[in-house]
């Protein structure tokens, strides 16, 4: 096993079995040697979670998402003989019904697939800029970006979610559209009981949703849907029906498309019938990365996720030994690796169909060896203001699916902000995205996430805006499926997903601990180390400050959902930082 447990001495208090793990001889088990026992870990005393919690265990199949109802929709499909792709599609459509803050038909996403026979694939169904979009469309008279890239009709890219899910179903699924969409149709038509998480989320977004047509649907009698209300969405059910009956054409043409285009025209949006008709999801070659013998199957551009995770992990791999988890040394190395990987991300990555992206170079071990020489183990390096490399030369939702046949799917989908642009298309029952803000509206100036990005990610008609979404599948050194992970949270997706992975493969944590461990984030600019409040010991904090790090504490960094193989089955953990019900389902 590549993980060196000896360096865990400071943070590891005892060697323990897997919390919550059972040892029934399930279908998921492979060679026993491929399933290492996990270490227990100690979190800083001020941290909100204690280590050693249990995870949801299931013997055959497991899904972790932000909605239990959506995860159950996927498990229903697996129980009916479907595979992980069928289930992922069922979850995706169900999230559009039960988790309107981020689940969507009006957004886009990415899917990484690994079939039990060894095939892997990456599907890009990111939104594209409408044909009428132009480079400076969001700049005011002073050259500053306006809020139009975030709120209202002009903020939306052409949605890719429906095309993507149907493409995945057609190529890797085994079920019909009617079967895969049945749970979502049922949830929309017959309704589901609103829980306190949905009610609270709506209340928190009242001002945005209230500006557009969603007000009547989500705020009946002028207050947010109350917990316990049976919430039916007949317009959405009819939209889903047209997708079942006519496939992608039932969304990108016909009644749904006509309604969307008419609403856009009414509100000053740019999306036309031609934009919708031209939209296609694209199969891409996954990023194949590795870390100390573990293999990562990750998302290539137009997402920056896989490239940036690969570069960060390659940089960390050049350090041996890796300091113990939670130590100032570890946080410094990891933060410095992220800082460098984000400098490259922000200046060199964009839509590969429009710009040259040096993915092979950025993900190469040789490049990491060269770049790691710029990391001083004792000192933070300031991010150059010009965004050049140090050396020359919320809302989104992620779900992880494994089936009883050994297939796995990692999917992240988004409408960007919570409830997207706020524009709700009442006649067809869904929110539109505000994904245009992921472009560099004003190259060199920060976007909503504070990301300072370059010309490569400038707006152009038909172009995909750079994403941070990082659906990732990890294989153990024997090639067995180990972990399916990803997150929501803008640029913090990259750092959070890679820390969940590192917590498992470098620090040998259980999945429950890997998900609960405090997270850090560095995105080059602003030049600061973000740390979750209570996430550092006082000693680590003063050592990091002495190294020159500017530390800023923040609430929860990102929202991850992951599934991991354990002895006899699977562990599923949905984001412990999220309010409300846990979103795992398994059998
Ligand atoms: O694609 C991206 O990188 C962003 N649109 C993701 C936004 C996000 O995660 C917001 N969520 N909490």
């Amino acid at each position: 096993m590549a993980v060196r447990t000896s360096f865990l001495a400071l943070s590891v208090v005892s060697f323990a079995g897997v919390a919550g793990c059972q040892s029934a001889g399930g279908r998921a088990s492979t060679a026993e040697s491929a399933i290492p026992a996990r270490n227990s870990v100690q979190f800083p005393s001020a941290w909100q979670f204690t280590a050693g919690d249990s995870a949801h265990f299931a013997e055959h199949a497991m899904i972790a998402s932000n909605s239990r109802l959506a995860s159950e929709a996927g498990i229903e499909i697996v129980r009916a003989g479907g595979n992980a792709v069928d289930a992922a599609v069922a979850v995706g459509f169900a999230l559009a019904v039960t988790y309107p803050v981020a689940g969507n038909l009006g957004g886009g996403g990415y899917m990484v697939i690994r079939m039990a026979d060894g095939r892997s694939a990456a599907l890009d169904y990111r939104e594209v800029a409408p044909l009428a979009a132009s480079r400076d469309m969001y700049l005011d008279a002073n050259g500053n970006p306006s809020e139009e890239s975030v709120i209202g009709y002009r903020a939306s890219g052409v949605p890719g979610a429906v095309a993507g899910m149907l493409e995945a179903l057609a190529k890797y699924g085994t079920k019909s559209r009617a079967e895969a969409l049945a749970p979502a149709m049922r949830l929309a038509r017959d309704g589901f009981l609103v829980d306190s998480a949905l009610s609270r989320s709506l209340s928190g977004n009242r001002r945005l949703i209230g500006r557009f047509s969603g007000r009547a649907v989500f705020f009946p009698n002028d207050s947010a849907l109350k917990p316990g209300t049976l919430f039916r969405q007949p317009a959405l059910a009819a939209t889903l029906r047209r997708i079942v009956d006519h496939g992608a054409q039932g969304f990108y043409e016909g009644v749904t498309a006509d309604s969307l285009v008419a609403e856009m025209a009414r509100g000053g949006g740019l999306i036309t019938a031609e934009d919708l008709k031209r939209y296609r999801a694209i199969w891409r070659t996954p990023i194949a990365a590795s870390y100390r013998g573990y293999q990562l199957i990750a998302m290539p551009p137009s997402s920056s996720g896989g490239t940036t995770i690969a570069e960060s992990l390659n940089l960390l791999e050049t350090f041996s030994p890796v300091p113990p988890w939670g130590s100032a040394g570890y946080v410094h190395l990891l933060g410095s690796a992220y800082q460098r990987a984000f400098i490259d991300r922000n200046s060199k990555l964009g839509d590969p169909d429009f710009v040259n992206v040096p993915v092979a170079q950025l993900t190469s071990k040789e490049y990491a060896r060269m770049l790691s020489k710029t990391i001083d183990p004792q000192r933070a390096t300031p991010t150059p203001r010009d965004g050049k490399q140090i050396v020359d030369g919320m809302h989104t939702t992620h779900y992880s699916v494994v089936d009883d046949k050994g297939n796995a799917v990692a999917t992240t989908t988004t409408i960007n902000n919570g409830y997207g642009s706020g524009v709700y298309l009442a006649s067809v029952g869904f929110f539109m995205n505000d994904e245009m803000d992921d472009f560099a509206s004003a190259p060199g100036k920060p976007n909503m996430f504070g990301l300072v990005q370059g010309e490569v990610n400038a707006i152009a008609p038909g172009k995909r805006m750079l994403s941070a979404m990082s659906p990732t599948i990890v294989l153990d050194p024997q090639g067995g499926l180990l972990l399916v992970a990803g997150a929501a949270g803008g640029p913090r997706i990259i750092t959070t997903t890679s820390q969940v992975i590192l917590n498992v493969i470098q620090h040998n944590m259980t999945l429950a601990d890997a998900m609960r461990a405090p997270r850090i984030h560095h995105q080059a600019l602003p030049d600061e180390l973000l740390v979750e409040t209570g996430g550092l010991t006082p000693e680590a904090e003063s050592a990091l400050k002495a190294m020159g790090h500017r530390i800023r504490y923040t609430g929860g960094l990102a929202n991850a959902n992951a599934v991991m193989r354990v002895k006899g089955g699977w562990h599923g953990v949905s984001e412990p930082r999220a309010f409300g019900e846990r979103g795992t389902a398994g059998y």
Side-chain angles (χ1 to χ4, degrees):
M1 189 179 64
V3 176
R4 289 143 322 155
T5 50
S6 55
F7 295 104
L8 297 169
L10 291 180
S11 58
V12 170
V13 289
S14 68
F15 195 76
V18 178
C21 174
Q22 295 154 40
S23 57
R27 313 230 351 221
S29 63
T30 57
E32 294 278 309
S33 61
I35 303 176
R38 298 278 154 198
N39 297 106
S40 62
V41 65
Q42 195 161 38
F43 295 154
S45 54
W47 179 233
Q48 60 172 316
F49 299 116
T50 47
D53 216 333
S54 60
H56 184 168
F57 172 85
E59 193 178 337
H60 302 283
M62 175 63 74
I63 299 176
S65 80
N66 287 115
S67 159
R68 182 179 51 79
L69 290 171
S71 296
E72 284 172 354
I75 288 297
E76 178 182 325
I77 299 294
V78 179
R79 278 185 184 276
N83 68 17
V85 176
D86 297 312
V89 171
V91 174
F93 281 108
L95 282 168
V97 180
T98 62
Y99 193 65
V101 63
N104 67 82
L105 302 184
Y110 299 95
M111 185 180 283
V112 172
I113 298 171
R114 203 255 178 180
M115 303 301 284
D117 62 11
R119 283 177 297 160
S120 61
L123 183 60
D124 176 340
Y125 52 99
R126 181 69 157 168
E127 300 92 325
V128 301
L131 294 170
S134 56
R135 186 186 183 283
D136 298 333
M137 63 185 278
Y138 296 118
L139 300 188
D140 64 18
N142 301 319
N144 293 316
S146 71
E147 69 163 28
E148 281 195 335
S149 66
V150 180
I151 297 174
Y153 292 83
R154 280 167 63 82
S156 296
V158 184
V162 173
M165 286 190 285
L166 295 184
E167 178 65 28
L169 186 67
K171 184 143 184 209
Y172 287 94
T174 62
K175 294 286 184 189
S176 66
R177 288 197 297 270
E179 290 167 311
L181 272 75
M185 294 263 302
R186 203 173 57 227
L187 288 160
R189 188 192 55 224
D190 302 344
F192 65 93
L193 294 181
V194 171
D195 62 10
S196 51
L198 174 55
S199 182
R200 194 167 120 146
S201 158
L202 290 168
S203 296
N205 290 278
R206 185 195 178 95
R207 275 187 56 199
L208 176 68
I209 300 170
R211 281 172 68 162
F212 305 100
S213 318
R215 190 187 183 112
V217 174
F218 296 98
F219 297 87
N221 310 317
D222 216 30
S223 65
L225 291 166
K226 291 193 172 37
T229 311
L230 181 67
F231 180 41
R232 293 197 178 94
Q233 300 174 77
L236 180 54
T239 298
L240 293 170
R241 173 90 256 162
R242 287 189 287 274
I243 296 170
V244 168
D245 290 346
H246 306 292
Q249 275 190 342
F251 182 87
Y252 291 93
E253 296 176 46
V255 173
T256 305
D258 293 348
S259 304
L260 192 158
V261 169
E263 259 296 285
M264 283 287 140
R266 202 184 58 74
L270 302 186
I271 299 173
T272 62
E274 177 67 13
D275 281 313
L276 291 174
K277 215 169 151 183
R278 284 166 70 131
Y279 186 85
R280 295 286 179 276
I282 300 176
W283 290 102
R284 304 204 186 267
T285 307
I287 300 272
S290 70
Y291 182 81
R292 301 184 206 275
Y294 290 83
Q295 298 163 53
L296 274 68
I297 306 167
M299 196 66 217
S302 62
S303 179
S304 62
T307 313
T308 313
I309 288 180
E311 185 175 338
S312 307
L313 265 56
N314 284 345
L315 280 166
L316 189 66
E317 197 184 46
T318 63
F319 293 91
S320 206
V322 169
W325 181 87
S327 65
Y330 180 64
V331 173
H332 168 64
L333 287 187
L334 192 58
S336 302
Y338 288 147
Q339 177 191 27
R340 282 154 181 79
F342 265 87
I343 290 174
D344 284 331
R345 176 210 182 273
N346 297 345
S347 60
K348 296 180 185 158
L349 295 183
D351 182 346
D353 298 335
F354 281 72
V355 291
N356 284 326
V357 284
V359 172
Q361 183 214 353
L362 297 183
T363 58
S364 83
K365 301 279 184 195
E366 195 190 334
Y367 178 64
R369 277 193 294 276
M370 193 260 293
L371 195 54
S372 82
K373 295 201 180 94
T374 68
I375 299 178
D376 177 342
Q378 307 300 332
R379 229 26 245 166
T381 324
T383 300
R385 290 289 133 188
D386 60 5
K388 294 244 171 66
Q389 190 47 278
I390 289 165
V391 67
D392 286 331
M394 176 145 42
H395 215 79
T396 302
T397 187
H398 172 84
Y399 54 99
S400 297
V401 179
V402 294
D403 67 17
D404 53 346
K405 303 157 194 78
N407 305 303
V409 177
T411 308
T412 317
T413 180
T414 188
I415 43 178
N416 204 18
N417 262 314
Y419 303 97
S421 64
V423 173
Y424 178 76
L425 305 177
S427 56
V428 286
F430 58 88
F431 284 97
M432 289 297 292
N433 68 80
D434 62 326
E435 223 70 66
M436 291 296 283
D437 191 67
D438 278 349
F439 279 118
S441 303
K445 291 192 178 160
N447 74 351
M448 175 172 78
F449 296 113
L451 281 171
V452 180
Q453 307 177 95
E455 279 297 334
V456 286
N457 189 30
I459 302 173
K463 186 176 175 185
R464 283 161 154 82
M465 53 297 280
L466 186 64
S467 172
M469 289 189 274
S470 309
T472 307
I473 295 175
V474 182
L475 309 181
D476 65 25
Q478 292 76 32
L481 177 62
L482 175 66
L483 183 63
V484 186
R492 299 154 187 198
I493 291 172
I494 292 171
T495 45
T496 287
T497 304
S498 54
Q499 281 166 84
V500 171
I501 293 170
L502 282 170
N503 288 347
V504 168
I505 67 178
Q506 170 67 52
H507 301 293
N508 214 18
M509 291 184 201
T510 65
L511 186 61
D513 287 347
M515 291 281 287
R516 281 175 177 75
R519 297 167 184 162
I520 65 152
H521 176 74
H522 202 309
Q523 62 181 44
L525 291 175
D527 191 353
E528 62 189 11
L529 190 63
L530 272 183
V531 181
E532 289 182 317
T533 306
L536 288 177
T537 61
E539 301 74 45
E541 184 196 78
S542 23
L544 284 160
K545 283 184 175 159
M547 289 176 185
H549 284 283
R550 207 171 90 203
I551 296 175
R552 184 157 71 84
Y553 285 102
T554 179
L557 281 172
N559 183 318
N561 291 306
V563 173
M564 184 174 88
R565 196 180 80 240
V566 294
K567 195 173 175 197
W570 304 98
H571 271 178
V573 179
S574 65
E575 179 54 60
R577 291 153 186 78
F579 173 79
E581 217 173 346
R582 299 287 174 255
T584 52
Y587 87 100

